Amino acid sequence: MLLGGQWIARYMGSNKGVLVLDVDQIDDHFEGVAFARDDDVGIPSTAVSFSTTSKLTSQKLDKLPLGAFDYWGKPLNAAQLQILQTRGIQFPAHSDVELTLTQSDELNIAWTTSIGGYGKATAKRSRAGTKSEIQPLNINNWNEFKDFVTNRIERNRYLFRGQSTSTWRLAFHRTQRANLNWFEANDLRSLHHHLSALTRHTFDLKDPLQNLAFINLVQHHGYPSPLLDWTRSPYVAAFFAYRTVDLGKVKADDKVGIFLFDGPEWHKVNRSLNALSPSPPLVVLVQALPLENPRAIPQQSVSSISTVDDIETHIRDAEAGSEKTFLQVIDLAATARREVLSELALMGITAGSLFPGVDGACEALREQNFGMLSRF
């Protein structure tokens, strides 16, 4: 096993809190960012970037410069640090760090700082690629689903997301990439360079609203990002759940999954994301401007932006701490594809309506005239 991936753990030492470590393999070495969020809101959180010289599973990193942040990941300036010093709170300039990957695929992390602080943690690798553990609601067929979303839940409260495989854990992407600092510094710049010739609007990535709109645009066109697509319509979610199901390969017991997310309740305590990286573990709902993105409106699109790739575990942990239920899932038979898509077409929900343009119109007509034969 290699160091690459996202690692999250509780840390103990001269302080205690939550540690997030994002590591990517870059050619013959690793690059990463760590964020230590102190349990005490009044104590600065700490971030550090690092680069190794090899792919060894044991690394010693000396005198790494440290950055100071508040509890929500907003950088602290020199004046704010000086105020903290008057209260007896010192912030270290650098830290020595040791990383050791064990045979059981746990990452031991230990550090000492330039002012004598110390800490350690044993982190587990993110489970984003493993099967979902959410128990589905007792809804067994398409008619029960329609009754549930029409009569049994509060209207306009929930967000929905359809996935063609019910066993997929809710995660923002499955690409073996974890370092969002690399995504911002390299992926976005490259995408901006290539797409600026193709869009009528030139996005200003320094503008937070336009930056989010640009990420949302590339996400809608298939580029992996820390956004996850949701919709306000349970029927649009059902379309996406069934859209790519191949009836020629599906088994009798295969299921699609439709997630329900209690957006208003979640938003009460998860409102702010200052930066993708470095950042504490956060999942925040956002409404991106639909610049150059005609798909967003008909899809009734809302996004979550996340600094944790295993979104499901993050939300379930929040549920355990609050005794609330934010996330639920409904499993429906994948074999019902033809019935469901035919009825959705009568509602006006087709590829042609959700993907305005030639590609969407052709996909809708393929579905109408050939059904799944169009996928061979």
Short mmCIF file of all heavy atoms in Angstrom, two decimals, residues 307-338:
data_model
loop_
_atom_site.label_atom_id
_atom_site.label_comp_id
_atom_site.label_asym_id
_atom_site.label_seq_id
_atom_site.Cartn_x
_atom_site.Cartn_y
_atom_site.Cartn_z
N THR A 307 -14.72 18.84 1.49
CA THR A 307 -13.28 18.64 1.68
C THR A 307 -12.99 17.23 2.16
O THR A 307 -11.84 16.89 2.41
CB THR A 307 -12.71 19.65 2.68
OG1 THR A 307 -13.34 19.46 3.95
CG2 THR A 307 -12.94 21.08 2.20
N VAL A 308 -14.03 16.41 2.31
CA VAL A 308 -13.86 15.00 2.65
C VAL A 308 -14.42 14.16 1.51
O VAL A 308 -15.50 14.44 1.01
CB VAL A 308 -14.56 14.62 3.97
CG1 VAL A 308 -13.84 15.24 5.15
CG2 VAL A 308 -16.02 15.04 3.98
N ASP A 309 -13.66 13.16 1.07
CA ASP A 309 -14.16 12.38 -0.06
C ASP A 309 -15.21 11.36 0.39
O ASP A 309 -16.11 11.01 -0.37
CB ASP A 309 -13.02 11.71 -0.84
CG ASP A 309 -12.15 10.81 -0.01
OD1 ASP A 309 -12.33 10.77 1.22
OD2 ASP A 309 -11.28 10.14 -0.60
N ASP A 310 -15.14 10.88 1.63
CA ASP A 310 -16.15 9.97 2.14
C ASP A 310 -17.25 10.79 2.81
O ASP A 310 -17.31 10.94 4.04
CB ASP A 310 -15.52 8.99 3.13
CG ASP A 310 -16.50 7.95 3.65
OD1 ASP A 310 -17.68 8.00 3.26
OD2 ASP A 310 -16.09 7.11 4.47
N ILE A 311 -18.13 11.33 1.98
CA ILE A 311 -19.19 12.20 2.47
C ILE A 311 -20.17 11.45 3.36
O ILE A 311 -20.66 11.98 4.36
CB ILE A 311 -19.92 12.85 1.27
CG1 ILE A 311 -18.95 13.76 0.51
CG2 ILE A 311 -21.14 13.63 1.73
CD1 ILE A 311 -19.51 14.30 -0.78
N GLU A 312 -20.44 10.21 3.00
CA GLU A 312 -21.40 9.43 3.77
C GLU A 312 -20.97 9.29 5.23
O GLU A 312 -21.77 9.53 6.14
CB GLU A 312 -21.56 8.04 3.13
CG GLU A 312 -22.54 7.16 3.88
CD GLU A 312 -22.77 5.83 3.18
OE1 GLU A 312 -23.00 5.83 1.95
OE2 GLU A 312 -22.74 4.79 3.86
N THR A 313 -19.72 8.92 5.47
CA THR A 313 -19.26 8.76 6.85
C THR A 313 -19.29 10.10 7.59
O THR A 313 -19.66 10.16 8.76
CB THR A 313 -17.83 8.18 6.87
OG1 THR A 313 -17.88 6.85 6.34
CG2 THR A 313 -17.26 8.14 8.27
N HIS A 314 -18.91 11.18 6.92
CA HIS A 314 -18.92 12.50 7.55
C HIS A 314 -20.33 12.86 8.01
O HIS A 314 -20.53 13.34 9.14
CB HIS A 314 -18.41 13.54 6.55
CG HIS A 314 -18.34 14.93 7.11
ND1 HIS A 314 -17.34 15.37 7.94
CD2 HIS A 314 -19.19 15.99 6.96
CE1 HIS A 314 -17.55 16.63 8.27
NE2 HIS A 314 -18.67 17.02 7.69
N ILE A 315 -21.32 12.62 7.17
CA ILE A 315 -22.70 12.96 7.52
C ILE A 315 -23.22 12.02 8.62
O ILE A 315 -23.88 12.46 9.56
CB ILE A 315 -23.60 12.90 6.28
CG1 ILE A 315 -23.20 14.01 5.29
CG2 ILE A 315 -25.07 13.06 6.67
CD1 ILE A 315 -23.94 13.97 3.97
N ARG A 316 -22.89 10.74 8.51
CA ARG A 316 -23.36 9.80 9.54
C ARG A 316 -22.74 10.12 10.90
O ARG A 316 -23.40 9.97 11.94
CB ARG A 316 -23.02 8.36 9.13
CG ARG A 316 -23.69 7.89 7.84
CD ARG A 316 -25.20 8.02 7.86
NE ARG A 316 -25.84 7.21 8.86
CZ ARG A 316 -26.16 5.92 8.69
NH1 ARG A 316 -25.88 5.32 7.54
NH2 ARG A 316 -26.76 5.24 9.64
N ASP A 317 -21.48 10.55 10.92
CA ASP A 317 -20.86 10.96 12.19
C ASP A 317 -21.59 12.18 12.77
O ASP A 317 -21.78 12.27 14.00
CB ASP A 317 -19.39 11.29 11.99
CG ASP A 317 -18.53 10.04 11.77
OD1 ASP A 317 -19.02 8.93 12.03
OD2 ASP A 317 -17.37 10.20 11.33
N ALA A 318 -21.99 13.11 11.90
CA ALA A 318 -22.73 14.28 12.37
C ALA A 318 -24.10 13.88 12.91
O ALA A 318 -24.59 14.46 13.88
CB ALA A 318 -22.89 15.29 11.23
N GLU A 319 -24.71 12.87 12.29
CA GLU A 319 -25.99 12.37 12.79
C GLU A 319 -25.85 11.80 14.20
O GLU A 319 -26.67 12.05 15.07
CB GLU A 319 -26.53 11.29 11.84
CG GLU A 319 -27.03 11.83 10.51
CD GLU A 319 -27.48 10.73 9.58
OE1 GLU A 319 -27.07 9.56 9.78
OE2 GLU A 319 -28.24 11.03 8.64
N ALA A 320 -24.78 11.04 14.40
CA ALA A 320 -24.55 10.43 15.71
C ALA A 320 -24.37 11.50 16.79
O ALA A 320 -24.78 11.31 17.94
CB ALA A 320 -23.34 9.52 15.66
N GLY A 321 -23.76 12.62 16.42
CA GLY A 321 -23.52 13.67 17.40
C GLY A 321 -24.72 14.55 17.66
O GLY A 321 -24.78 15.24 18.68
N SER A 322 -25.70 14.55 16.74
CA SER A 322 -26.84 15.46 16.87
C SER A 322 -28.17 14.74 17.09
O SER A 322 -29.18 15.38 17.36
CB SER A 322 -26.98 16.30 15.61
OG SER A 322 -27.31 15.48 14.50
N GLU A 323 -28.17 13.42 16.96
CA GLU A 323 -29.39 12.61 17.06
C GLU A 323 -30.41 13.02 16.00
O GLU A 323 -31.64 12.92 16.23
CB GLU A 323 -29.98 12.69 18.46
CG GLU A 323 -29.05 12.15 19.55
CD GLU A 323 -29.69 12.14 20.92
OE1 GLU A 323 -30.80 12.69 21.06
OE2 GLU A 323 -29.08 11.59 21.85
N LYS A 324 -29.95 13.50 14.87
CA LYS A 324 -30.82 13.82 13.74
C LYS A 324 -30.49 12.90 12.58
O LYS A 324 -29.41 12.30 12.53
CB LYS A 324 -30.63 15.28 13.31
CG LYS A 324 -31.05 16.29 14.36
CD LYS A 324 -30.86 17.71 13.85
CE LYS A 324 -31.31 18.73 14.89
NZ LYS A 324 -31.13 20.13 14.43
N THR A 325 -31.42 12.79 11.65
CA THR A 325 -31.19 12.01 10.43
C THR A 325 -31.12 12.97 9.25
O THR A 325 -32.12 13.62 8.91
CB THR A 325 -32.32 10.98 10.20
OG1 THR A 325 -32.36 10.09 11.30
CG2 THR A 325 -32.07 10.20 8.93
N PHE A 326 -29.93 13.11 8.70
CA PHE A 326 -29.75 14.00 7.55
C PHE A 326 -29.83 13.26 6.23
O PHE A 326 -30.25 13.83 5.22
CB PHE A 326 -28.38 14.70 7.64
CG PHE A 326 -28.21 15.57 8.84
CD1 PHE A 326 -27.32 15.22 9.85
CD2 PHE A 326 -28.92 16.74 8.97
CE1 PHE A 326 -27.15 16.03 10.95
CE2 PHE A 326 -28.76 17.57 10.07
CZ PHE A 326 -27.87 17.21 11.08
N LEU A 327 -29.41 12.00 6.20
CA LEU A 327 -29.24 11.29 4.94
C LEU A 327 -29.99 9.96 4.97
O LEU A 327 -29.85 9.18 5.92
CB LEU A 327 -27.74 11.03 4.70
CG LEU A 327 -27.33 10.48 3.34
CD1 LEU A 327 -27.62 11.50 2.24
CD2 LEU A 327 -25.84 10.13 3.35
N GLN A 328 -30.80 9.73 3.93
CA GLN A 328 -31.52 8.48 3.78
C GLN A 328 -31.37 8.01 2.32
O GLN A 328 -30.95 8.77 1.46
CB GLN A 328 -33.01 8.66 4.11
CG GLN A 328 -33.27 9.19 5.51
CD GLN A 328 -34.73 9.52 5.74
OE1 GLN A 328 -35.53 8.66 6.06
NE2 GLN A 328 -35.07 10.79 5.59
N VAL A 329 -31.73 6.76 2.08
CA VAL A 329 -31.62 6.24 0.73
C VAL A 329 -32.78 5.30 0.44
O VAL A 329 -33.29 4.63 1.35
CB VAL A 329 -30.26 5.52 0.50
CG1 VAL A 329 -30.18 4.22 1.30
CG2 VAL A 329 -30.01 5.26 -0.97
N ILE A 330 -33.21 5.31 -0.81
CA ILE A 330 -34.25 4.41 -1.29
C ILE A 330 -33.64 3.54 -2.39
O ILE A 330 -33.03 4.06 -3.33
CB ILE A 330 -35.46 5.18 -1.85
CG1 ILE A 330 -36.12 6.01 -0.75
CG2 ILE A 330 -36.46 4.24 -2.51
CD1 ILE A 330 -37.15 6.99 -1.26
N ASP A 331 -33.79 2.24 -2.25
CA ASP A 331 -33.33 1.30 -3.28
C ASP A 331 -34.52 0.84 -4.11
O ASP A 331 -35.56 0.46 -3.55
CB ASP A 331 -32.66 0.08 -2.64
CG ASP A 331 -31.28 0.39 -2.07
OD1 ASP A 331 -30.82 1.53 -2.24
OD2 ASP A 331 -30.68 -0.50 -1.45
N LEU A 332 -34.35 0.90 -5.43
CA LEU A 332 -35.39 0.43 -6.34
C LEU A 332 -34.79 -0.58 -7.31
O LEU A 332 -33.60 -0.50 -7.64
CB LEU A 332 -36.00 1.59 -7.12
CG LEU A 332 -36.76 2.65 -6.30
CD1 LEU A 332 -37.22 3.78 -7.20
CD2 LEU A 332 -37.95 2.03 -5.57
N ALA A 333 -35.61 -1.48 -7.80
CA ALA A 333 -35.13 -2.52 -8.70
C ALA A 333 -34.60 -1.91 -9.99
O ALA A 333 -35.29 -1.14 -10.67
CB ALA A 333 -36.26 -3.50 -9.01
N ALA A 334 -33.39 -2.28 -10.35
CA ALA A 334 -32.80 -1.78 -11.59
C ALA A 334 -33.57 -2.28 -12.81
O ALA A 334 -33.59 -1.62 -13.86
CB ALA A 334 -31.34 -2.21 -11.67
N THR A 335 -34.23 -3.43 -12.69
CA THR A 335 -34.98 -4.01 -13.81
C THR A 335 -36.21 -3.18 -14.18
O THR A 335 -36.82 -3.40 -15.23
CB THR A 335 -35.43 -5.44 -13.48
OG1 THR A 335 -36.13 -5.43 -12.22
CG2 THR A 335 -34.23 -6.38 -13.38
N ALA A 336 -36.58 -2.20 -13.34
CA ALA A 336 -37.74 -1.35 -13.63
C ALA A 336 -37.39 -0.20 -14.56
O ALA A 336 -38.21 0.70 -14.75
CB ALA A 336 -38.33 -0.83 -12.33
N ARG A 337 -36.20 -0.22 -15.14
CA ARG A 337 -35.73 0.91 -15.94
C ARG A 337 -36.74 1.35 -17.00
O ARG A 337 -37.05 2.53 -17.13
CB ARG A 337 -34.41 0.55 -16.61
CG ARG A 337 -33.85 1.67 -17.49
CD ARG A 337 -32.61 1.24 -18.25
NE ARG A 337 -31.97 2.39 -18.86
CZ ARG A 337 -32.33 2.92 -20.02
NH1 ARG A 337 -33.36 2.41 -20.69
NH2 ARG A 337 -31.71 3.97 -20.49
N ARG A 338 -37.22 0.42 -17.80
CA ARG A 338 -38.09 0.77 -18.91
C ARG A 338 -39.38 1.43 -18.41
O ARG A 338 -39.82 2.45 -18.95
CB ARG A 338 -38.39 -0.47 -19.75
CG ARG A 338 -39.10 -0.18 -21.07
CD ARG A 338 -39.18 -1.43 -21.94
NE ARG A 338 -37.88 -1.77 -22.50
CZ ARG A 338 -37.20 -2.87 -22.21
NH1 ARG A 338 -37.68 -3.73 -21.34
NH2 ARG A 338 -36.03 -3.12 -22.78
#
